[in-house]
Amino acid sequence: FDAADAAPRRFPDLSMGQELVLTRGCAVCHGILGPGGRQGLDLLRVARNKGAPEVLASMWNHIPQMAGALLEGERLPELSGSELRDVVGYLNFVNFLGDEGNAEQGAAQLAEMQCLGCHDLDRRGKIGPALVDPERSASPVGLITDIWNDYPGMSRALREKGFRWFEWRGEFLTNASRYLDRLASREARTPLLDQPDPQRGAVRFDQLGCIRCHDPDRLAGWVSFTRTLNRRSAAESGAALLRHLPVIEQSRRSTLAGAELRPLSERAMADLLIFLSLAGAELRGGDPGKGKALFERLPCGKCHALPGQRPGIGPDLKDIPAAEGPYEAAAMMLQHARDMRTATKLKQGPGPRMEPDALLDLYAVLSQERGREALLAELSLDDEVRARERARITGSKAFDSAVNSVPPVSK
């Protein structure tokens, strides 16, 4: 298998996401690294420690406040599914960048971990290299890369001293990086890395053999793995990768005939870390069965009926245009927010607040790929009714031919 020949994955366009935030009205109220023009929340704060499902849940739950802040003649921003993916990806990237770190705490933490027992700051120590490296980029990624590349010798030296491998933490890597960067020569300091590339990171992930244990085809495990990393900064994901190094080394020895870890450049490490973050923005793992139950339990059913139920003031679920995927479903729900706000006033009740997992389940119901066909199958309709319902929902002959082979679910 040649990883370079792997099919490209679809990742958010981070530059487009930033442009959309600035041009579609978000920046009118919200700021980045500070309050917005109308005292809206700082988007950095909104995105902190949140993955894509959490960001979308925050957006959904924020709709009433957003709508209430509109001035006469203003409308809520309208985004397509692809544009929403890019905006959420950009906010994930803001979270990925993490905090700037505290140099004083970094100095204290280096002393606490007894790093200077093996290293000196600006020259080679008794065992290890100098900690201050003017060629290292001014970010935690540089320090993470150096530890990865030095792992064979570093772990051997620790064993000889009777120490175990460190339980690395993102906070330490961020603070230590900040402290060591401050000590570097101002003239020789390397600037921050450019924006990393998740597509190159996906190829690197395959080349390193990570896919042998972390396989996207193992849906439940992959979704859990990537959603966790999607909520983390680069320093936190890098710390998790460094903690995992003994397991990686053992796995490579058992499966690759003793092959050692590949050294990585800072660019390759940054690409790998952004891939691990944005892979969790795919919104996979929603359960259409749970979504159907949520639809019936939440206030959605007061306005929108399932097939066979009494119609409400909103369109029946089967009459709502099918979405191509989870982001299209999310965009459809967000665009529907203004009408839904009016309807909730008529019904004299609040709109439904959503948790991230609940939204994923509802997206699965609303998305054409899995949810609609699964929902219709669960209703145990006969073939003729199934075909009629499917045609009404999708309006697509291509979709009809693609799902004709799917048998009804027997009860």
Side-chain angles (χ1 to χ4, degrees), residues 18 43 49 53 58 65-66 85 94 128 138 143 165 193 242 247 263 311 332 364 370 378:
Q18 182 183 38
L43 290 180
N49 299 322
S58 294
Q65 186 177 350
M66 288 173 60
R85 179 198 297 266
V94 169
L143 186 57
W165 186 239
L193 287 169
L242 296 179
V247 176
M332 182 168 61
R370 296 177 58 205
E378 286 177 7

Side-chain angles (χ1 to χ4, degrees), residues 50-119:
K50 292 179 181 175
E54 289 78 18
V55 168
L56 285 167
S58 294
M59 284 180 161
W60 173 268
N61 295 327
H62 185 47
I63 284 171
Q65 186 177 350
M66 288 173 60
L70 295 176
L71 301 179
E72 185 176 354
E74 292 182 333
R75 297 169 58 88
L76 290 171
E78 293 187 6
L79 299 170
S80 68
S82 177
E83 290 172 333
L84 184 60
R85 179 198 297 266
D86 293 340
V87 168
V88 170
Y90 169 67
L91 294 177
N92 283 166
F93 180 62
V94 169
N95 179 54
F96 173 82
L97 294 177
D99 299 318
E100 64 178 359
N102 183 298
E104 288 70 26
Q105 291 183 16
Q109 289 167 336
L110 281 171
E112 182 181 348
M113 291 185 67
Q114 303 180 36
C115 299
L116 297 179
C118 295
H119 303 270

Side-chain angles (χ1 to χ4, degrees), residues 202-222:
V203 173
R204 184 68 61 185
F205 184 81
D206 293 342
Q207 289 175 337
L208 290 171
C210 307
I211 199 169
R212 291 180 177 84
C213 296
H214 305 287
D215 186 350
D217 290 335
R218 299 172 186 166
L219 183 60
W222 177 253

Side-chain angles (χ1 to χ4, degrees), residues 312-339:
I313 63 173
D316 290 358
L317 178 62
K318 60 182 171 52
D319 295 324
I320 298 173
E324 294 290 336
Y327 275 102
E328 286 70 24
M332 182 168 61
M333 288 178 66
L334 290 173
Q335 289 172 10
H336 174 55
R338 184 175 60 253
D339 295 336

Side-chain angles (χ1 to χ4, degrees), residues 46 80 83 119 150 165 172 197 215 253 280 294 301 390 400:
V46 171
S80 68
E83 290 172 333
H119 303 270
D150 290 342
W165 186 239
F172 164 75
D197 184 341
D215 186 350
R253 285 178 177 175
L294 278 167
R390 189 187 303 118
D400 274 347

Side-chain angles (χ1 to χ4, degrees), residues 29-335:
C29 293
H30 296 280
I32 299 176
L33 294 175
R38 295 183 189 169
Q39 299 302 309
L41 290 175
D42 176 3
L43 290 180
L44 176 63
R45 199 174 100 196
V46 171
R48 174 65 69 236
N49 299 322
K50 292 179 181 175
E54 289 78 18
V55 168
L56 285 167
S58 294
M59 284 180 161
W60 173 268
N61 295 327
H62 185 47
I63 284 171
Q65 186 177 350
M66 288 173 60
L70 295 176
L71 301 179
E72 185 176 354
E74 292 182 333
R75 297 169 58 88
L76 290 171
E78 293 187 6
L79 299 170
S80 68
S82 177
E83 290 172 333
L84 184 60
R85 179 198 297 266
D86 293 340
V87 168
V88 170
Y90 169 67
L91 294 177
N92 283 166
F93 180 62
V94 169
N95 179 54
F96 173 82
L97 294 177
D99 299 318
E100 64 178 359
N102 183 298
E104 288 70 26
Q105 291 183 16
Q109 289 167 336
L110 281 171
E112 182 181 348
M113 291 185 67
Q114 303 180 36
C115 299
L116 297 179
C118 295
H119 303 270
D120 279 341
L121 288 174
D122 54 6
R123 61 183 178 180
R124 182 171 181 81
K126 299 175 182 176
I127 299 176
L131 293 178
V132 176
D133 182 357
E135 298 300 318
R136 182 191 297 136
S137 66
S139 78
V141 173
L143 186 57
I144 292 165
T145 304
D146 285 349
I147 296 171
W148 170 281
N149 292 335
D150 290 342
Y151 171 75
M154 191 173 176
S155 61
R156 183 170 55 251
L158 286 171
R159 287 194 300 270
E160 290 173 355
K161 286 179 167 288
F163 293 121
R164 300 177 62 183
W165 186 239
F166 294 116
E167 287 291 321
W168 301 98
R169 292 287 179 264
E171 179 190 17
F172 164 75
L173 293 169
T174 301
N175 292 337
S177 174
R178 178 80 169 176
Y179 170 62
L180 296 175
D181 176 61
R182 178 180 290 183
L183 297 179
S185 167
R186 294 282 178 180
E187 294 76 15
R189 182 177 300 171
T190 305
L192 290 167
L193 287 169
D194 294 332
Q195 181 176 299
D197 184 341
Q199 190 62 56
R200 286 198 308 256
V203 173
R204 184 68 61 185
F205 184 81
D206 293 342
Q207 289 175 337
L208 290 171
C210 307
I211 199 169
R212 291 180 177 84
C213 296
H214 305 287
D215 186 350
D217 290 335
R218 299 172 186 166
L219 183 60
W222 177 253
V223 168
S224 176
F225 172 65
T226 55
R227 276 193 65 182
T228 298
L229 294 173
N230 188 221
R231 292 190 289 265
R232 290 175 173 169
S233 67
E236 292 163 338
S237 291
L241 188 63
L242 296 179
R243 291 195 302 270
H244 196 48
L245 272 172
V247 176
I248 296 174
E249 181 185 45
Q250 183 61 38
S251 176
R252 292 183 67 84
R253 285 178 177 175
S254 61
T255 59
L256 299 177
E260 293 186 354
L261 289 172
R262 291 189 183 190
L264 297 176
S265 65
E266 288 188 22
R267 164 60 58 203
M269 179 61 75
D271 292 341
L272 177 62
L273 292 175
I274 193 61
F275 160 68
L276 291 173
S277 174
L278 294 185
E282 294 177 355
L283 300 184
R284 299 175 71 186
D287 185 327
K290 291 181 179 179
K292 173 179 174 290
L294 278 167
F295 190 91
E296 294 175 315
R297 188 173 74 247
L298 292 172
C300 314
K302 293 181 179 180
C303 296
H304 304 283
L306 289 165
Q309 295 179 350
R310 182 177 179 180
I313 63 173
D316 290 358
L317 178 62
K318 60 182 171 52
D319 295 324
I320 298 173
E324 294 290 336
Y327 275 102
E328 286 70 24
M332 182 168 61
M333 288 178 66
L334 290 173
Q335 289 172 10

